[in-house]
Amino acid sequence: MAEVESSDASGPEMFGQDQTIESLEGQQAQAEMGDMGGYDTAAMPDEMPSQPVAEAEEDTSIHVGRFSRVGPPPPKKEMSHMPEDTEFVLARSFLSSKVGGRSFSLYEHLTSIVGHVLETRSQSALENFETLSADLKRSRFQSDVPGVPTTLREVVIPGPDVELAKKQAVLFKRLSAEEAAEKASSDLGEVPDIMDLAHLWEWAGVSIDWMPLSAAASVLTRTVYQVSFGPEETFLLLLSIKKLIEDKPLKSVRLWGKIFGTHGNYIIVEAELKDGATDEDEATANAVPEDPHAAQEAAEAAAAQAKAAAAGGGSAEDEEGSRRKPMNPEEDETGLPKPKSKTINPLSREVHVGVNRYNYYVCPYAGADWVRLPDVIPEKLQAARRIHKYFTGNLSTRIVSYPAFDGTEAQYLRAQIARITAATVLSPNGYYMVDNDDGESEESNAGASIIVNPEFEGFANDQLLNLANWVHHMPYILPQGRVTWENPAARGENADGGDDEDRDDDEGSESNGAEAVEPETGPTLLSVISADEDHGDIPSWTARLCSPLSPSKYSPVMLRSTRWPGAAVVSYNDKFANIYVGFGLKDLGSPVQRFVPPRLPEIQREYATGEGAEGNAELLLEQLDPTIEQEKAFEDEKKAKEAEGKEGGEDAEDAGDEEAEED
Amino acid sequence: MSFLNSEDVPAFTLAGFTLNVEERATLFASLAIKKDQEKLPSIHLWGKILGINQDYLLAQSVSATSLFERKYYYTLDNLNWYQLPEVTPEERRQADSIQGRFFGDPSYEHTVPKNHEDPESSETKMREEKRLAATISSINYDVEIVPRGAYYRDLNRVVRKNPSFQGTPHLLAERCSRLPKEDFGQTHCYMHFRDGFEVTTRTLTERINKFDDAIDIFESIENDEPKGVWSVQAEVGGTVAIVRSLQWPGHTFIHSASPLRFTSFYFGTGQKNHNIGFML
């Protein structure tokens, strides 16, 4: 025991040391042996050990004398000369050895038993000795598998709320003074004051899901599982949006709304890139939709890619188009066909040439990572108009539908967002004005650019009830799926998507096979919503005072779209806010609500040759199967042809046809 | 508890809708007055149906003798509540075939299209008030749900609220961390809150491993057709479950274990989704 004390309270660790240290200890002890007598009685109690184990051992050494009356007396006299004997060192090293990879030695075990007995001062220590020993042993059980907790202790697996809290805690980090100064100097994008807007939305009966608060709950040491609702969650969302702005080169963002899925929801923000900034997410976001496609063909990946390259059709071109797009902002001037729509930002984008559309970011809950949605592809937008499906909440889900959508939910979501935005984003008449500097583009509705009217004074609340005082400030999406019309005939081979003539963006699709030569037109930008077509037998907008009891000056005004249930605009004097909270689906019509998928095409006819044979199964000629000899002969012939090198081109063509069919 | 109280309203912000300050301030006062006037045992807010010209706010009163006997009330001005008429099953069927929006005018006459199964039938008219009553009772019958175990049937075969119900297991904190993620979306924990469930061989075989005569007194929503007609989501780190009916979009059921709350609210246009088969 004496050695343990003298080795400077690092006791427990020292047990594990090898022989050289042991002997060192011995020597040290030897040197201190002189005052052994006083040590035992007087010096010890004064010493305040820092480690509990050391304490236990200390106690042991103090009280050995007392216990000696019961057990065989530990011969003090012997001890005083023991260290001189190498036998003691040997015995001790034997006791403290950890044979067979044990993590605990017998010596340590005995020490802890004695320590425990002395700590508890149990009168029945002798009776319970075996149990005590077993218990202590068990409490030290450790599994061989790393990371596995001991089986005998209660294990707390952190719940999902902890995960959530950890994610959200990132948002709570404060900046140091220097960082803050740096931030302030760099021009950060504008964070919308959604705390304020939330107040407006509440008046309209809309809530943007004031998300999980368990993070706040744990932080504020409220009952962790207590659910409460309030501005805390809005605040989290605000922080989350702030982080998005800090991370990405965004000029401004708008909380667009929320779309419910069957398994999860999307919180959506609409963001505007800074002038001249590059969007590094763009490639990844737009590549996402191709991924599942590639995964499907993973087995034949290389071959498939080669095929696609050879085919040069469908998907490959879409992809190409969407990638090329940002490089080529003046595509309208050149009139060159691009199978790519642009969601033009009418605000100041046209003034500064550059990226001129909104990006959309989604996340499932405040604090989660924001994911950038891919850009709209006109064909996908057209397809989205033809289907009527719930979202699932998982962006990578492939949409299974008739008529086929052929894409992931990310694309479907983006298309629906574009449609909803174009149809339901409103501003008071006069808030925006057409920017006359851009004279040339005024003619086409998409080309016109609008700026905030500095002289706009706002309407009184009761005037806002009048639908004539509201205008669309997002460009109308043409049936083509684009904002600016482009001649599909000039587009060449891929006229497939272009000549679908949905005459009305909002009225679903009617496709006639005719070539679209006449440019599609739609309502111009800033057209008044009272001019919107009625939705069946009902008006397309309903306006209401949120609080009929308050003086109209204090009552916000709400407009709801009947065509897109869930879309609402709330305004309060000079403030207004657009929001969408819903399933992301268009109303199917009034008064009859029926989704009628297009009829299945007629069954293809049997292929037959000869006059009048088409479609007539009886005239089909039955062929004999080739014999093995014939097949072999054919193979040989083929090889011979290949050798001539003529076969290559044809093969590629075949491959191309196959690919086209698959699409 | 299963019926909405004023303190449950803020919970529905999670589900994307809420009542505004004015409605919260006025409705519960006017409901209390109505309850006193009609000597009702209870009256609870039921939902809001968005009309073209005006919105209906709806309330229900549960009879003292049976949980499934209800009276329905509507208001357009948040103050005066009017009772909705009783509807016959035939009227309910007719109302089901009207698909347009509500107008917010109780005396508006909707056109009931011809019944295709009965060639002799002709187009008829139905007052919006009637349609409203039929819609509410259909919604209540189709999609009113409670968690399994929230109600039990005593020896006299009377359905009672279970005072020892603590919340659906997957919401209870200590369990929720151990369940795999997929288990959150379990529909077998929720049951149709409606009369007329009888134990049959089918229901027995379905629940053979966990059948409890006292609490398995309703049809589970698990087998509702089409599959996926219910959207069950875990919110707030898995401590709140939100169950949305896609058959009657707008019907939202919310359930949390602490504080124990299970209640539903309807906030929508009052139109049934007839196209659900295409949408999942």
Side-chain angles (χ1 to χ4, degrees), chain A residues 160 202-203 205 207 209 211 225 229 260-262 265 388-390 542 544 547-548 560 585 588 591 593-595, chain B residues 13-18 20 22 51-53 55 99-100 231 233 235 237 239 244 258 271 273-275 279-280:
Chain A
E202 196 207 279
W203 272 109
S207 80
D209 190 316
M211 262 331 202
Y225 288 99
F229 304 88
F260 304 129
T262 52
N265 306 322
H388 195 70
K389 258 184 98 68
Y390 280 122
T542 62
R544 204 150 301 170
S547 169
R560 280 205 212 101
L585 297 173
L588 284 168
Q593 299 242 320
R594 281 274 184 251
F595 172 69
Chain B
T13 55
L14 262 183
F17 56 83
T18 184
N20 68 36
E22 179 175 314
I52 300 294
N53 302 320
D55 298 340
Q99 293 171 10
S231 149
Q233 291 185 14
E235 293 274 6
T239 54
R244 287 192 184 87
S258 167
Q271 292 161 295
N273 183 359
H274 292 277
N275 305 297
M279 295 172 69
L280 296 170

Side-chain angles (χ1 to χ4, degrees), chain A residues 207-355:
Chain A
S207 80
I208 243 285
D209 190 316
W210 315 127
M211 262 331 202
L213 88 140
S214 47
S218 346
V219 170
L220 302 178
T221 64
R222 278 189 256 157
T223 325
V224 177
Y225 288 99
Q226 191 77 21
V227 177
S228 83
F229 304 88
E232 294 92 338
E233 291 73 45
T234 323
F235 186 67
L236 277 176
L237 194 58
L238 174 71
L239 290 179
S240 172
I241 291 178
K242 183 172 142 250
K243 186 158 183 292
L244 174 73
I245 290 187
E246 287 167 4
D247 292 353
K248 317 265 174 192
L250 302 177
K251 192 157 89 185
S252 67
V253 296
R254 175 172 82 89
L255 185 57
W256 186 89
K258 184 175 184 190
I259 286 184
F260 304 129
T262 52
H263 295 97
N265 306 322
Y266 299 111
I267 296 177
I268 300 155
V269 298
E270 184 180 76
E272 189 183 351
L273 276 184
K274 270 186 198 155
D275 302 330
T278 48
D279 182 10
E280 63 265 24
D281 298 334
E282 188 161 356
T284 23
N286 285 329
V288 164
E290 310 306 330
D291 278 346
H293 194 61
Q296 268 185 354
E297 295 169 5
E300 30 173 338
Q305 270 182 7
K307 262 189 197 175
S315 63
E317 194 176 308
D318 290 349
E319 190 183 347
E320 211 176 275
S322 63
R323 293 244 171 92
R324 203 186 295 149
K325 207 243 148 185
M327 311 299 152
N328 209 349
E330 281 138 357
E331 61 175 59
D332 308 301
E333 267 63 42
T334 61
L336 282 178
K338 295 281 185 306
K340 180 71 192 75
S341 140
K342 26 196 267 165
T343 319
I344 291 183
N345 164 31
L347 302 173
S348 52
R349 216 65 55 77
E350 297 281 313
V351 183
H352 312 282
V353 180
V355 184

Side-chain angles (χ1 to χ4, degrees), chain A residues 374-388:
Chain A
D375 293 328
V376 178
I377 300 166
E379 284 76 17
K380 299 279 185 252
L381 196 131
Q382 290 171 16
R385 282 179 183 152
R386 284 181 220 117
I387 64 175
H388 195 70

Side-chain angles (χ1 to χ4, degrees), chain A residues 345-348 358 425-435 450-454 456 471-474 526 576:
Chain A
N345 164 31
L347 302 173
S348 52
Y358 290 115
V425 173
L426 307 180
S427 58
N429 196 352
Y431 183 82
Y432 289 110
M433 59 186 231
V434 176
D435 186 8
I450 55 171
I451 52 171
V452 176
N453 182 355
F456 179 67
V471 295
H472 292 282
H473 69 258
M474 288 294 203
L526 298 183
F576 67 95

Side-chain angles (χ1 to χ4, degrees), chain A residues 317-501:
Chain A
E317 194 176 308
D318 290 349
E319 190 183 347
E320 211 176 275
S322 63
R323 293 244 171 92
R324 203 186 295 149
K325 207 243 148 185
M327 311 299 152
N328 209 349
E330 281 138 357
E331 61 175 59
D332 308 301
E333 267 63 42
T334 61
L336 282 178
K338 295 281 185 306
K340 180 71 192 75
S341 140
K342 26 196 267 165
T343 319
I344 291 183
N345 164 31
L347 302 173
S348 52
R349 216 65 55 77
E350 297 281 313
V351 183
H352 312 282
V353 180
V355 184
N356 53 356
R357 59 161 190 279
Y358 290 115
N359 285 345
Y360 290 88
Y361 295 88
V362 297
C363 74
Y365 54 86
D369 298 332
W370 292 97
V371 180
R372 186 189 182 281
L373 290 178
D375 293 328
V376 178
I377 300 166
E379 284 76 17
K380 299 279 185 252
L381 196 131
Q382 290 171 16
R385 282 179 183 152
R386 284 181 220 117
I387 64 175
H388 195 70
K389 258 184 98 68
Y390 280 122
F391 290 93
T392 64
N394 179 3
L395 283 177
S396 55
T397 317
R398 272 197 97 69
I399 303 288
V400 180
S401 65
Y402 177 78
F405 180 79
D406 187 33
T408 57
E409 186 161 302
Q411 285 169 320
Y412 180 42
L413 180 65
R414 183 64 187 83
Q416 291 296 87
I417 289 175
R419 295 175 68 199
I420 294 171
T421 311
T424 68
V425 173
L426 307 180
S427 58
N429 196 352
Y431 183 82
Y432 289 110
M433 59 186 231
V434 176
D435 186 8
N436 288 324
D437 299 347
D438 260 17
E440 178 198 355
S441 48
E442 241 176 89
E443 288 157 23
S444 75
N445 76 74
S449 73
I450 55 171
I451 52 171
V452 176
N453 182 355
E455 284 152 29
F456 179 67
E457 282 170 359
F459 290 103
N461 283 332
D462 40 0
Q463 283 177 294
L464 287 170
L465 280 174
N466 185 351
L467 295 186
N469 286 333
W470 287 94
V471 295
H472 292 282
H473 69 258
M474 288 294 203
Y476 176 84
I477 301 177
L478 294 171
Q480 205 177 34
R482 293 167 43 95
V483 166
T484 47
W485 186 78
E486 82 186 9
N487 193 343
R491 207 192 296 167
E493 45 181 330
N494 192 20
D496 204 8
D499 46 9
D500 272 326
E501 284 275 273

Side-chain angles (χ1 to χ4, degrees), chain A residues 155 157-161 163-164 199 201-214 223-227 229-230 258 260-265 365 388-391 400 402 537-539 542-544 546-550 558 560-562 565 581 583 585 587-597, chain B residues 10-24 26 48 50-55 77-78 98-101 103 108 171 173-174 176-178 181 184 228 230-240 242 244-247 249-250 254 256 258-259 261 267 269 271-276 278-280:
Chain A
V155 183
I157 301 173
D161 63 316
E163 248 169 67
L164 192 72
H199 182 66
W201 290 323
E202 196 207 279
W203 272 109
V206 178
S207 80
I208 243 285
D209 190 316
W210 315 127
M211 262 331 202
L213 88 140
S214 47
T223 325
V224 177
Y225 288 99
Q226 191 77 21
V227 177
F229 304 88
K258 184 175 184 190
F260 304 129
T262 52
H263 295 97
N265 306 322
Y365 54 86
H388 195 70
K389 258 184 98 68
Y390 280 122
F391 290 93
V400 180
Y402 177 78
D537 58 347
I538 53 177
T542 62
R544 204 150 301 170
C546 291
S547 169
L549 294 180
S550 336
M558 153 187 54
R560 280 205 212 101
S561 169
T562 54
V581 178
F583 285 100
L585 297 173
D587 196 62
L588 284 168
S590 177
V592 179
Q593 299 242 320
R594 281 274 184 251
F595 172 69
V596 185
Chain B
F12 283 98
T13 55
L14 262 183
F17 56 83
T18 184
L19 295 178
N20 68 36
V21 180
E22 179 175 314
E23 286 160 339
R24 288 203 299 264
T26 51
K48 184 173 183 177
L50 307 174
I52 300 294
N53 302 320
Q54 290 188 85
D55 298 340
D77 57 3
N78 300 351
I98 307 174
Q99 293 171 10
R101 289 275 299 260
F103 279 81
Y108 181 87
L171 287 177
E174 67 271 24
C176 86
S177 58
R178 290 182 200 174
K181 253 210 156 125
F184 284 126
W230 294 96
S231 149
V232 185
Q233 291 185 14
E235 293 274 6
V236 199
T239 54
V240 182
I242 291 186
R244 287 192 184 87
S245 167
L246 304 180
Q247 170 115 59
I254 195 161
S256 66
S258 167
R261 165 190 289 137
F267 187 96
T269 55
Q271 292 161 295
K272 188 176 182 172
N273 183 359
H274 292 277
N275 305 297
I276 189 158
F278 296 106
M279 295 172 69
L280 296 170

